[in-house]
Every structure is written in C-alpha cells, then in structure tokens.
C-alpha cells in the first residue's frame, strides 16, 4: 500500500525490498504439493507438521538425485505460471515502474537436512545471469522458514559497488563473491509462507544452512526486468 516512488527509492538505496504475506497460502500450498508429488521417494509431506520432509538420502543441487528430480519440477506448468499471476506481475511493475519481462527460467530451491556446507554461498545474480542494470530477482517462501531451516540473507547496499570478483566455493553456483572487511552486517529474519523478497541483480545474498533433522526447505525464484532491456 506504500507509494510506488517511495518503494523504488528504498529499493535503490538498500538493494532489496521485503513484502509480508504477498502470495496467498493457498497458492503456496498448491505449488508445494505439486513439487512433493514429483519428488518421491526422496521427499514427502508430513501432514501432522504441514511441511515437506526428507524421506530418502540428503541431496544437493547438481548431485545425482537432484539431476533425476529437478527436470520433473521444471516440467510443471503450475511452477512457471506461478510468477505470471496478475498479482505477482503487479508487484514487479511497481518495483520497475514500467511493464516487465519475466525471465523464462524459473528456479526451485530444495534444501535438505544433512548437507551442511552445500548451501548457496554469497553471490550476485548479475554475474551468473549476465544481467542488465534493471534485472532483479524475486524470491517466494513456499513455507514458513525459521532460522534453523536456513533463511535467505541480504548484504544491504552491496549493489552499489557493482559486480565483484569471485572465488571457487561449495554450494549452488560453485563460486562466492568478494565480501569487504567492513561488510559485516547481514539483513535476515524468519520469514513466513507467502513472503516475497525482491533484490537488485548486484545485491549480494546467500542462504543459511538447513539444521533441522528432517524438514526440507522449499522456495522459488526467478528474474525480471523492464521490457526491452
């Protein structure tokens, strides 16, 4: 409900925006169930807890189990349609201030217990996506994500320094970008199902580890920019 110009000014200053409960629980639960439906026997749904749980061996991106299940997730029309919902597009237009182009590549994130050290390291999407200046990421929590489940964290105002050098690292993307000594305060909090975070392509961000015994963390994200960029 805030003034669009104020939101865009805040986005330019901090490099990210955080919107509470922007996506309905019904939409999140529907996509979550679609994902679980193609993730068996590795991931199931605990009806009592109301969360996805690990029912096989732990796995991380690029490992054999991931390579087997991820194409099935990418084949779901509901996954791709999720980010083209009019309500979602309205948010992107508000942040961009113009009509938007949603990237065809949609990404699902699965963080299982038992894979400490393989969480997404600090990085910038501008490098991995060869992004133009107006590209931004949009991330949605498909379930409540407390600290022990591994939250998304942002390095505030890090976008102002442009694209950084990288070094090899474990985890998604296999690289970590440079973090300056004075950059020692991350912005992070517990998030709830349907919360949305939008971030500049140069904003440094990373994922915390999943330290639970069996709960699987699931989120989705994609990229968007102004039409023509």
């Amino acid at each position: 409900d805030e003034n669009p110009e104020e939101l865009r000014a805040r986005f330019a200053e901090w490099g990210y925006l955080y919107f509470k409960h922007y996506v309905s629980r019904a939409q999140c639960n529907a996509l979550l169930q679609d994902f679980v439906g193609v993730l068996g026997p590795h991931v199931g749904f605990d009806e009592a807890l109301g969360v996805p749980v690990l029912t096989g061996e732990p796995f991380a991106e690029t490992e054999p189990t991931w390579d087997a299940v991820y194409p099935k997730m990418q084949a779901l029309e509901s996954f791709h349609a999720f980010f083209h919902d009019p309500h979602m597009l309205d948010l992107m237009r508000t942040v961009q201030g113009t009509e938007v182009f949603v990237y065809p590549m949609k990404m699902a994130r699965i963080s299982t217990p038992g894979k400490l050290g393989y969480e997404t390291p600090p990085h910038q999407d501008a490098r991995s996506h060869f992004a133009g200046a107006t590209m931004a990421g949009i991330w949605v929590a498909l379930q409540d994500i407390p600290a022990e489940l591994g939250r998304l964290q942002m390095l505030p105002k890090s976008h102002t320094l442009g694209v950084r050098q990288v070094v090899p690292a474990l985890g998604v993307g296999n690289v970590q970008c440079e973090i300056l000594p004075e950059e020692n305060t991350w912005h992070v909090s517990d998030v709830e199902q349907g919360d949305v975070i939008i971030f500049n392509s140069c904003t440094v961000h990373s994922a915390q580890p999943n330290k639970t015994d069996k709960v699987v963390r699931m989120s989705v994200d994609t990229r968007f920019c102004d039409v023509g960029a």
Side-chain angles (χ1 to χ4, degrees), residues 1 13 58 65 71 75 79 93 119 127 137 143 176 180 200 222:
D1 298 325
E13 178 183 4
T65 298
F79 178 24
R93 293 186 187 109
E119 55 274 4
R127 176 174 289 276
Q143 66 200 94
Q176 173 175 324
L180 303 178
N200 184 284
T222 191

Side-chain angles (χ1 to χ4, degrees), residues 22 47 55 62 81 89 94 128 140 150 168 186 190 199-200 208 210:
Y22 189 81
E47 296 291 346
T55 52
T62 74
L89 291 172
T94 298
S128 56
V140 183
W186 291 79
D190 292 357
F199 47 94
N200 184 284
Q208 296 176 322
N210 182 345

Side-chain angles (χ1 to χ4, degrees), residues 13-227:
E13 178 183 4
W14 292 97
Y16 77 96
L17 293 169
Y18 176 30
F19 300 91
K20 291 292 297 178
H21 304 153
Y22 189 81
V23 182
S24 72
R25 286 191 175 274
Q27 285 178 287
C28 291
N29 283 330
L31 183 56
L32 198 58
Q33 291 297 333
D34 284 350
F35 281 159
V36 172
V38 298
L39 284 171
H42 313 285
V43 175
F45 194 82
D46 189 312
E47 296 291 346
L49 296 176
V51 294
V53 293
L54 188 65
T55 52
E57 293 299 315
F59 62 93
E61 288 194 23
T62 74
E63 294 182 343
T65 298
W66 172 269
D67 290 341
V69 300
Y70 195 66
K72 299 177 184 178
M73 301 173 74
Q74 276 289 329
L76 292 168
E77 183 178 355
S78 58
F79 178 24
H80 294 270
F82 185 85
F83 284 104
H84 293 269
D85 179 88
H87 187 54
M88 192 78 78
L89 291 172
D90 282 345
L91 181 60
M92 299 181 205
R93 293 186 187 109
T94 298
V95 173
Q96 286 284 0
T98 184
E99 188 55 64
V100 295
F101 172 81
V102 183
Y103 277 45
M105 180 171 56
K106 313 301 190 295
M107 288 159 282
R109 311 295 181 181
I110 307 173
S111 176
T112 73
K115 296 300 292 187
L116 296 181
Y118 288 86
E119 55 274 4
T120 307
H123 70 285
Q124 298 170 296
D125 289 347
R127 176 174 289 276
S128 56
H129 293 283
F130 303 98
T134 65
M135 192 194 82
I138 180 167
W139 176 93
V140 183
L142 293 183
Q143 66 200 94
D144 293 349
I145 303 178
E148 63 270 18
L149 200 50
R151 304 166 299 182
L152 178 65
Q153 57 185 10
M154 298 284 160
L155 192 58
K157 302 186 179 182
S158 55
H159 65 300
T160 61
L161 299 179
V163 181
R164 308 178 181 212
Q165 296 299 314
V166 297
V167 296
L170 289 176
V172 180
N174 296 316
V175 295
Q176 173 175 324
C177 70
E178 179 185 19
I179 305 296
L180 303 178
E182 62 270 22
E183 294 178 319
N184 50 26
T185 302
W186 291 79
H187 284 191
V188 62
S189 71
D190 292 357
V191 299
E192 296 179 301
Q193 187 179 50
D195 288 359
V196 173
I197 299 177
I198 290 179
F199 47 94
N200 184 284
S201 63
C202 283
T203 298
V204 177
H205 57 288
S206 67
Q208 296 176 322
N210 182 345
K211 296 181 178 179
T212 66
D213 293 329
K214 64 177 182 177
V215 180
V216 175
R217 185 195 76 221
M218 299 187 69
S219 63
V220 290
D221 56 273
T222 191
R223 310 290 172 260
F224 66 98
C225 64
D226 62 289
V227 169

